[in-house]
Amino acid sequence: MSGIVRLTRRDFLRYTGVGAGALVLGSYISPSGELYAGILDTLENGFPLNAFVNILLDGTFIIFAPRSEMGQGTRSTLAAVLADELEADWSRVKVRQSDADGPRYSKELANPTPGGVPKYPISDELVQFADSSRSITLLFAPMRLFGAGIRTVFERAAARKWGVNTTECRARQHKVYHAASGRSVDYRHLLLQAKKVAVPTPAEATAALKPSKDWTFIGSDKVTPSARFVDVQDMVTGKAVYGADADPHRPGMLTAMIVRCPVANGEVKSFDDTETRKVAGVVNVVKVRLPATLAAGGVGAGFFPHAGVAVVAKNTWAALQGRRALKVEWDLSNLAAENASYDSKAYRGELEELTKKPGKTLRTRGDVDAALAAGKVVKADYYVPHLAQTPMEPPAAVALFENGRFEIWSPTQGPELTQHYVGLAMLKPDPMKLLLWQVTEPDEILKDCEKQEQIEFNELLGTVMGGKSLPELVKLRDELKQEVRDKVKVHVTLLGGGFGRKSKPDYAIEAAFLAREHPGVPIRVQWTREDDIQFSYFHAVSHQHLEAALDGEGHATAWLQRSAFPSFFATLFPPPDYLPAPARPLFSKARSAYHGGGEYPYGASIERAQGLEDMPFDVKDLRIENCPAQNHIRLGWMRSVSNIFHAFSAGSFADELAIEAGRDAKDYLLELIGKGRILDLEAEGVKCFDNNGLPAMKPIGPSAAYPADTRRLRGVVERVAKESGWDEKVKKYKGTKRGLGIAAHRSFLSYVAIVVDVTLNDANELTINEIHGAIDCGMAVNVDRVKAQMEGGMLYGLSYALLGEITVKNGAVEQHNFDDYPVLRIHQAPKNIFVHIMPSTGELPTGAGEPPTPAVAPALANAIVAAGGPRIREIPFFERHEDEGKVPRVKVRVL
Amino acid sequence: MSVFHLHVNGRLYTVDIDGNMPLLWALRDILGLKGTKFGCGVAQCGACTVHLDGRAVRSCSVDVGVACLSKITTIEGLSSDGSHPCQKAWVELGVPQCGFCQPGQIMSAAALLTTTKGADPTDEQIDNAMRGNICRCGTYPRIRAAIHKAAESSS
C-alpha cells in the first residue's frame, strides 16, 4: 500500500489553530455574508488544536474518533484517554466520529518521536482501519501525548496570563490552578493567551504525561461502565444511528435490494422485471456490475461486489417485494464454472488428503521425524467449516452522487478503504489503478523481509506501465489518491457489530454504483439476513493434521502440525488461472508484496502467524507446515480469523496428549508451555513473522517490541486455573457427568486462558455451567470494556463452537437465516461468566476484541470429554440428524 | 394501498400504504421511527420487537393491517427520557456493546416485567421471555443482571 508522510521533527501541535482562530474572529469585521458563515462554523466546530481535538468558545472539547465503533468501545475509550491527560471535565467533552481522512490522521501520528510512542507502522489507508484488535495498542500513547501536550499549552497560557512560572501552574478538570496565589482560570478563558505561548516539543509533552497514579479514568476499575460510554443513552432510547438509519437530509431517499449471483464470479445472463415493475413503489431495476474488476465479485475480485440486479424503490418493503418478483438467469461459465461445482463436503475431503502429504515447511526445530519414529505416536485431525460473522446489523449503506462527487454513509470498519475502493470502482475503473495504489517506497513502513518483494513489484509495474521509474509511479499514485479523496466523502455511522464482515466495503460500493444511476437522490442499499449469510466474506474452512510423540513418561517430544486452508488473499488477488499469461507475474508479485501475501495457493503471512508459526508449546522437535488449498468462494475474516482453527486443533490436541499420558490437563498444558520463554521464530526458520504488524523481537526506533512471551501464557493458565477452582473441582467431578476443560492462546499480542465447566446428561444434552477467562493484555485501559469484550468474545467462541455451519453446494451457500444458521441465545449461554484481568505490567496495552475467542472452542471440547462425553474434533458440536450418531457431537438446547 | 390509522407512542398517524407492509417498515420508512431495527425479517432475532397493547411482538411479522388495531409502543415511546427502569438499568450496568439489538432486548424485557408485575423474574422466566432476542456481541450476562436490577428498582 502507499507510504506515509514521515516528518523528521514531530510537532503534533502544528495544527494549533487557537491563535489562528482568534485572528479569524478579528478579521471578520467585514460587511459580507461570510461574517455569519464563519462565525456559525466556529460556533459549531470551534478551533482546531490538532487533528484530533477542537475547542469551542465555551471551552467544550470536540474529540474526534478516528476509528469505528462496533461495540468494542474505542470511540469512547480513545477520547477518554485524551481527556484524562488533558484534564478535561468529561461533561464538557463531545466525541465526534471522523470521516475518512487518512492523511489528516496519519500525518499527526506518523512521526517517530522520543519518549516511547510506537512507530506507526500502518499506511494511510489503514490508519483508521479498525481490525486486528489494535486500536488501543496503536493509539493509546499518541492520545495520551496529545492530551498532555494540549494541557501544557493551557498551563503555559495561564502562567503567561498571571506572569508566573509554568511550573507553578497545574491543570485539573478544565481549569488551571496557581496554588501560591489561590487563583484559577477555566480553559475557556485562556484561548487568546494560548496563541501566544510556545507549543511543547514532543519531549516536553512526554515529560508532562501524568503518572499512572494521577489517572482518573485510564486503568481504573472504579469508573462506572457508562461514565465513559458516549452512546449508551442513545442506544437504550433508539436514537443511535446505524447504517440503515443514516439520514442525508435530502428528500426522496430510495432503497435498493439486490439479487446477487449465488456463485462466486458469476454474471447476469438476463433478467425479467415485468412483475417487479408492477409492484407499487418500485422506481428502477438495474444490473449491478462493476467494470473495475477482472472478475465479477468473488474469488480474486477483492472488495468489488457480486454481480446482480438491483430493485430500487420508494421504501424497503417495496424493494423487497420487487426483488421477490424478479427473475434472473445467471451465466456461470468462465471463472464461475469451477466455483459452480464447489461442494464444501467434497472439499473437506480434498483438504484432508492435502494434509496427508508434507506441505511447505514454515518452522523447524530438532528432528521431528526421528522423534516420531522413536516415541509413542498420537495423531488427530481437526476440522472447522466455513463460518459467517452475522453481526446483528446486516450490511447497509447510503450514497449520494452529485456533481461528479460521492458522499457515503456506511457502518464500516474501514473508512479509508471504503473511500479508496468506491473511488477506484466509480471514478477510475481500471484494474491497473488497483495496482498503482500498491506502490510503496521500500524504506518507509516495511519490514526488511518485505522490502525485496516491494522493490520487485514496483519495478515490474513500472515496466508494464511503459517504463516508469519509482518516483513517477509514486506521483501517479498520489494524484490518483488525491482525486479519490477529493471526490469521495465517507461518513462513518455506528456499526451494529462488525466481527470482520464490515471491514469489507462491498456494500458501500453497491450504494455508490446505484447512486450514480440516480444523481442527486440518496440511495440506501439494504441487505437482508439471507444476503448477509449467503454473501459474506466467509471464515476460511480448514483441516488440521497433528502428530505428536510421547516418551516413556508421557512427555511430548515431537509436534508436527499441518494446516490446510484457502487464503483470504486469493479473494484479494486473482489466482493465476484467472489471468492471461502476461498478467500473471504482475498480480502474483502484487500479492506477495501486499502485507506478506505470499503465493497462491498458500496462506498469507498474517494467516500463518495466527497460532500456526507461533505455536507456543516448548516441544524439543517440531515442524509446522502449510498445505496449499484452492479457493472457490469469497473469503474474509471473522473475529480472530486463522486463530480459530489453529487454536481449536492445538488446544484440543494438547488435551488429547494429556489424556494419553494419564495426566491432569492443566498440569500437562503448563508442561507443554514449559517454564516459558520468548519465542525466537526466526531462529527456527520462520520467515517474516507478522506480529500483528508490530515488532516482535527488537524495538524499532521508539516503537516497543511485543514478543511472544510464553511466560505470560503460563501466567493466564495459572490464574484461570486458580480462579475456576480447577484442582478441587477436577477431583470432585472425577467419574461424574460434570467436567472442566482448559485451553490457552496468544493472539493479537494478548494472552488468554479459558476454563469451561459443563455437564452432560444421559441424553447427551450439554449444559455449560460456567466459563472463566483470564486475559493478559498488558494493561487494561478501559477496564469495563475489556471485561465486556471478554464476556462477548467468549460467548462468540461458544456460539461457533456449538452452532452454525456454512455449507456450500453447487457453488451456492445453503444456509439462509437464523433458523438454519443458528447462533447462541441467552438460554444456551452460561449464566455464570467470570473475567479475570491480569495486573498491569506497564503502559503497553494490547488487544481485547478478538483474543477472548480462539481458546474457547478447544476448552469446551476438552470439558465435554472430561464430563464423559465424546472427543469432538469438528466444529460445530451440535448433533444433527444426518450424522446418525456416526460423528461424535452433543445436543444443544435450541428454540 | 389503503389508509390506516396507526396509534404509535401515544400519537395517531394516518398513512396510505399497502396493508401487507410489516409494521417494522411502516415504523422505519413511513413514520421515520428508526429505533426499531431490522435483523432477520422472519421473527428469529427479536431486533424489531415492539409492544402491541403492552405485549412484545416482532414487528417484522405483523402487518400494518393487523397492528392498526392496537396501541403500538416502540423504544422511542417506552419513556420520554430514558427513564424506564429497564433503560436505567441498562445504562447503569453498561449492557450494550454495539447496541443494535438493545432496543429489541429492552422491549422484550419491559414486557416481561409487565407480566411479572414488576416482581423479580426467575432464570427460567428470563430464558423464556428473552430467548427470541439474539445478541451477537454477547451481552447476555449483563442483560440478565439488568433485568434483575430493573425489577428491584421498580418494586
Side-chain angles (χ1 to χ4, degrees):
Chain A
M1 296 297 255
S2 69
I4 48 169
V5 174
R6 200 207 287 179
L7 304 177
T8 53
R9 241 179 62 87
R10 183 183 197 147
D11 181 357
F12 50 69
L13 290 180
R14 205 155 50 75
Y15 289 110
T16 300
V18 175
L23 274 176
V24 165
L25 268 183
S27 71
Y28 271 150
I29 313 299
S30 106
S32 97
E34 285 186 5
L35 171 72
Y36 297 106
I39 287 182
L40 285 174
D41 180 70
T42 301
L43 287 174
E44 193 185 305
N45 297 318
F47 313 115
L49 298 176
N50 78 350
F52 288 84
V53 189
N54 286 7
I55 187 165
L56 300 183
L57 286 170
D58 67 357
T60 300
F61 290 108
I62 298 178
I63 301 179
F64 292 96
R67 290 204 165 192
S68 308
E69 176 58 61
M70 49 182 156
Q72 81 290 42
T74 51
R75 180 168 138 91
S76 296
T77 301
L78 290 173
V81 166
L82 196 158
D84 196 334
E85 288 285 353
L86 176 50
E87 280 294 340
D89 173 351
W90 184 252
S91 70
R92 294 169 70 189
V93 171
K94 286 195 189 3
V95 177
R96 213 182 268 179
Q97 196 65 35
S98 305
D99 286 348
D101 197 344
R104 173 190 168 107
Y105 298 106
S106 68
K107 277 198 189 73
E108 201 73 88
L109 293 166
N111 310 312
T113 71
V117 178
K119 176 181 169 190
Y120 208 84
I122 310 292
S123 68
D124 277 359
E125 273 73 42
L126 301 179
V127 160
Q128 291 179 264
F129 193 37
D131 98 319
S132 299
S133 302
R134 55 190 172 187
S135 294
I136 306 288
T137 307
L138 291 168
L139 296 174
F140 176 62
M143 296 308 255
R144 284 188 67 200
L145 270 181
F146 298 144
I150 297 170
R151 168 171 38 90
T152 303
V153 169
F154 284 117
E155 286 169 347
R156 289 178 177 178
R160 189 174 197 284
K161 180 186 168 79
W162 294 321
V164 302
N165 280 325
T166 307
T167 51
E168 299 167 43
C169 300
R170 281 289 301 277
R172 203 165 21 89
Q173 293 296 291
H174 244 91
K175 289 181 156 63
V176 185
Y177 294 83
H178 184 240
S181 62
R183 284 177 288 188
S184 69
V185 61
D186 192 281
Y187 286 168
R188 70 191 289 194
H189 298 303
L190 291 171
L191 300 186
L192 294 179
Q193 290 293 347
K195 175 210 165 12
K196 297 170 185 162
V197 301
V199 168
T201 64
E204 288 169 336
T206 302
L209 289 172
K210 285 162 81 165
S212 56
K213 66 172 172 60
D214 291 345
W215 287 334
T216 50
F217 153 72
I218 297 169
S220 171
D221 56 6
K222 310 268 186 305
V223 177
T224 60
S226 296
R228 298 289 187 274
F229 190 160
V230 296
D231 302 298
V232 70
Q233 204 60 41
D234 285 348
M235 285 173 176
V236 304
T237 54
K239 295 202 182 79
V241 176
Y242 301 87
D245 309 324
D247 182 359
H249 299 293
R250 292 282 293 267
M253 177 148 96
L254 299 173
T255 302
M257 289 220 180
I258 303 173
V259 180
R260 297 174 186 82
C261 184
V263 176
N265 304 125
E267 305 267 12
V268 174
K269 185 173 5 184
S270 66
F271 65 92
D272 176 1
D273 60 358
T274 321
E275 294 305 307
T276 297
R277 289 194 180 267
K278 292 179 186 161
V279 173
V282 168
V283 159
N284 196 6
V285 182
V286 59
K287 190 163 113 169
V288 176
R289 176 55 165 97
L290 280 304
T293 58
L294 295 162
V299 180
F303 303 134
F304 295 108
H306 277 248
V309 183
V311 176
V312 186
K314 293 200 174 131
N315 59 64
T316 315
W317 177 241
L320 189 53
Q321 295 291 83
R323 186 171 89 160
R324 282 180 181 151
L326 192 61
K327 299 183 186 56
V328 186
E329 269 192 41
W330 304 109
D331 175 358
L332 301 180
S333 62
N334 299 319
L335 300 178
E338 202 185 71
N339 299 333
S341 66
Y342 182 49
D343 180 311
S344 56
K345 230 186 194 145
Y347 189 70
R348 177 178 175 172
E350 279 176 45
L351 287 179
E352 190 172 344
E353 282 307 304
L354 284 166
T355 61
K356 290 189 172 140
K357 302 188 295 276
K360 192 197 284 192
T361 296
L362 302 176
R363 179 179 165 200
T364 315
R365 193 187 191 194
D367 186 343
V368 86
D369 295 319
L372 284 170
K376 172 168 169 218
V377 176
V378 181
K379 293 186 196 191
D381 285 358
Y382 301 89
Y383 176 73
V384 180
H386 288 299
L387 298 166
Q389 304 85 349
T390 59
M392 242 4 259
E393 175 199 32
V398 177
L400 178 64
F401 176 70
E402 204 158 44
N403 302 322
R405 290 181 145 73
F406 290 90
E407 196 171 355
I408 313 283
W409 290 258
S410 182
T412 177
Q413 294 171 232
E416 312 124 299
L417 263 181
T418 299
Q419 187 183 47
H420 166 162
Y421 273 89
V422 166
L424 282 179
M426 305 312 301
L427 300 170
K428 297 285 179 183
D430 169 3
M432 294 304 288
K433 297 294 199 284
L434 266 175
L435 298 179
L436 195 57
W437 213 278
Q438 220 184 290
V439 169
T440 304
E441 287 95 330
D443 61 338
E444 293 210 2
I445 55 170
L446 300 172
K447 300 204 284 282
D448 286 339
C449 54
E450 292 172 329
K451 280 185 187 142
Q452 191 52 38
E453 301 278 6
Q454 186 64 46
I455 289 168
E456 287 174 19
F457 168 71
N458 293 341
E459 279 170 7
L460 191 50
L461 183 64
T463 306
V464 167
M465 289 186 80
K468 296 220 176 337
S469 67
L470 182 57
E472 287 172 314
L473 289 179
V474 168
K475 183 164 179 289
L476 281 174
R477 176 201 75 191
D478 290 345
E479 281 167 5
L480 177 61
K481 281 176 163 214
Q482 192 54 49
E483 186 183 348
V484 163
R485 286 180 175 136
D486 285 342
K487 292 188 174 162
V488 182
K489 200 189 255 219
V490 177
H491 308 298
V492 181
T493 66
L494 288 173
L495 283 68
F499 312 121
R501 174 59 184 97
K502 295 185 179 141
S503 60
K504 317 299 187 246
D506 55 320
Y507 49 101
I509 299 172
E510 288 174 343
F513 178 90
L514 293 171
R516 200 174 57 179
E517 300 290 310
H518 296 267
V521 177
I523 304 288
R524 171 174 53 210
V525 168
Q526 175 69 59
W527 284 45
T528 61
R529 180 59 60 189
E530 288 83 0
D531 296 336
D532 173 56
I533 286 174
Q534 297 191 320
F535 299 103
S536 182
Y537 283 80
F538 298 99
H539 169 76
V541 55
S542 175
H543 190 93
Q544 300 283 316
H545 173 75
L546 281 82
E547 296 182 24
L550 303 184
D551 68 15
E553 276 115 52
H555 303 302
T557 56
W559 182 285
L560 169 68
Q561 182 160 358
R562 291 201 179 118
S563 173
F565 61 89
S567 168
F568 159 60
F569 276 63
T571 295
L572 273 187
F573 293 91
D577 291 349
Y578 279 33
L579 297 163
R584 283 178 202 177
L586 182 59
F587 281 85
S588 166
K589 189 47 70 177
R591 175 182 166 158
S592 59
Y594 184 75
H595 297 288
E599 40 174 286
Y600 187 81
Y602 291 93
S605 67
I606 293 177
E607 295 161 323
R608 301 190 317 253
Q610 292 177 344
L612 182 63
E613 287 170 336
D614 58 340
M615 196 285 295
F617 302 140
D618 194 359
V619 181
K620 201 170 67 61
D621 305 281
L622 66 82
R623 193 167 66 238
I624 308 289
E625 299 174 8
N626 176 218
C627 304
Q630 308 281 330
N631 194 352
H632 301 291
I633 198 167
R634 195 163 80 169
L635 294 176
W637 289 344
M638 184 179 96
R639 190 177 198 166
S640 80
V641 198
S642 309
N643 289 292
I644 290 173
F645 37 80
H646 293 139
F648 176 56
S649 53
S652 299
F653 195 56
D655 194 67
E656 297 207 49
L657 297 181
I659 290 169
E660 193 63 45
R663 300 274 307 280
D664 171 83
K666 179 257 295 173
D667 291 339
Y668 201 80
L669 178 59
L670 287 170
E671 183 183 291
L672 281 172
I673 294 171
K675 64 175 163 46
R677 71 227 192 272
I678 289 178
L679 299 185
D680 185 353
L681 298 175
E682 205 180 352
E684 294 176 15
V686 176
K687 294 190 180 35
C688 228
F689 179 68
D690 186 326
N691 193 46
N692 207 24
L694 287 162
M697 299 301 282
K698 293 188 284 285
I700 292 177
S703 172
Y706 296 83
D709 185 346
T710 60
R711 286 169 297 192
R712 294 170 72 181
L713 198 64
R714 264 196 91 84
V716 288
V717 172
E718 286 166 344
R719 175 79 184 269
V720 81
K722 172 162 157 272
E723 301 281 0
S724 63
W726 176 275
D727 290 333
E728 308 82 68
K729 286 192 177 154
V730 165
K731 214 187 291 188
K732 181 170 157 192
Y733 300 148
K734 201 178 172 77
T736 71
K737 301 277 279 174
R738 185 166 177 171
L740 264 55
I742 188 167
H745 195 71
R746 173 185 184 257
S747 66
F748 308 99
L749 314 176
S750 294
Y751 304 79
V752 170
I754 306 284
V755 166
V756 185
D757 174 335
V758 307
T759 301
L760 268 182
N761 67 16
D762 292 327
N764 202 32
E765 283 171 348
L766 177 76
T767 301
I768 304 173
N769 303 310
E770 42 184 71
I771 182 167
H772 286 257
I775 180 166
D776 175 353
C777 57
M779 72 163 289
V781 173
N782 185 335
V783 173
D784 183 68
R785 286 300 97 178
V786 170
K787 185 162 174 287
Q789 287 296 284
M790 280 291 284
E791 292 161 2
M794 291 196 284
L795 290 178
Y796 201 88
L798 286 177
S799 185
Y800 74 71
L802 286 168
L803 299 166
E805 176 181 12
I806 295 293
T807 58
V808 186
K809 201 172 174 71
N810 298 324
V813 170
E814 296 184 288
Q815 285 70 35
H816 301 88
N817 209 310
F818 290 124
D819 48 357
D820 56 9
Y821 188 78
V823 295
L824 201 73
R825 293 171 182 275
I826 193 169
H827 66 295
Q828 298 161 322
K831 291 184 185 54
N832 302 308
I833 301 186
F834 302 98
V835 176
H836 314 288
I837 301 175
M838 297 297 278
S840 166
T841 50
E843 293 175 2
L844 292 178
T846 55
E850 293 164 282
T853 300
V856 172
L860 177 63
N862 300 341
I864 288 169
V865 173
R871 167 63 62 182
I872 303 175
R873 297 197 182 98
E874 48 189 86
I875 277 172
F877 299 172
F878 81 99
E879 218 176 61
R880 63 219 73 181
H881 297 303
E882 56 265 34
D883 287 342
E884 290 168 355
K886 285 188 229 136
V887 179
R889 304 222 201 244
V890 288
K891 286 202 178 79
V892 185
R893 276 173 77 202
V894 288
L895 265 173
Chain B
M1 302 280 274
S2 306
V3 172
F4 293 94
H5 303 293
L6 294 173
H7 196 287
V8 185
N9 301 332
R11 273 187 59 177
L12 199 61
Y13 297 86
T14 302
V15 294
D16 184 8
I17 52 177
D18 172 7
N20 291 325
M21 181 184 289
L23 177 61
L24 169 67
W25 300 118
L27 290 169
R28 290 185 55 84
D29 291 350
I30 311 299
L31 302 187
L33 293 167
K34 307 229 195 246
T36 308
K37 305 301 184 197
F38 168 68
C40 73
V42 294
Q44 286 283 317
C45 78
C48 67
T49 307
V50 299
H51 295 169
L52 292 189
D53 299 322
R55 281 173 19 256
V57 299
R58 314 301 181 206
S59 63
C60 71
S61 303
V62 176
D63 294 353
V64 162
V66 169
C68 66
L69 302 171
S70 297
K71 283 203 167 80
I72 302 162
T73 313
T74 70
I75 185 70
E76 292 94 337
L78 192 63
S79 72
S80 59
D81 57 356
S83 58
H84 187 280
C86 285
Q87 289 170 316
K88 289 172 77 165
W90 251 244
V91 169
E92 204 178 319
L93 298 184
V95 174
Q97 288 184 28
C98 86
F100 191 80
C101 75
Q102 302 297 346
Q105 302 278 3
I106 289 169
M107 295 308 278
S108 291
L112 168 62
L113 291 182
T114 304
T115 59
T116 66
K117 298 190 176 41
D120 197 22
T122 62
D123 280 343
E124 202 188 328
Q125 283 176 312
I126 292 178
D127 277 359
N128 288 335
M130 304 301 294
R131 66 203 288 163
N133 287 82
I134 295 174
C135 171
R136 292 297 282 143
C137 294
T139 66
Y140 297 137
R142 295 196 188 204
I143 289 173
R144 279 189 192 280
I147 289 172
H148 290 306
K149 190 161 199 73
E152 186 189 298
S153 72
S154 60
S155 65

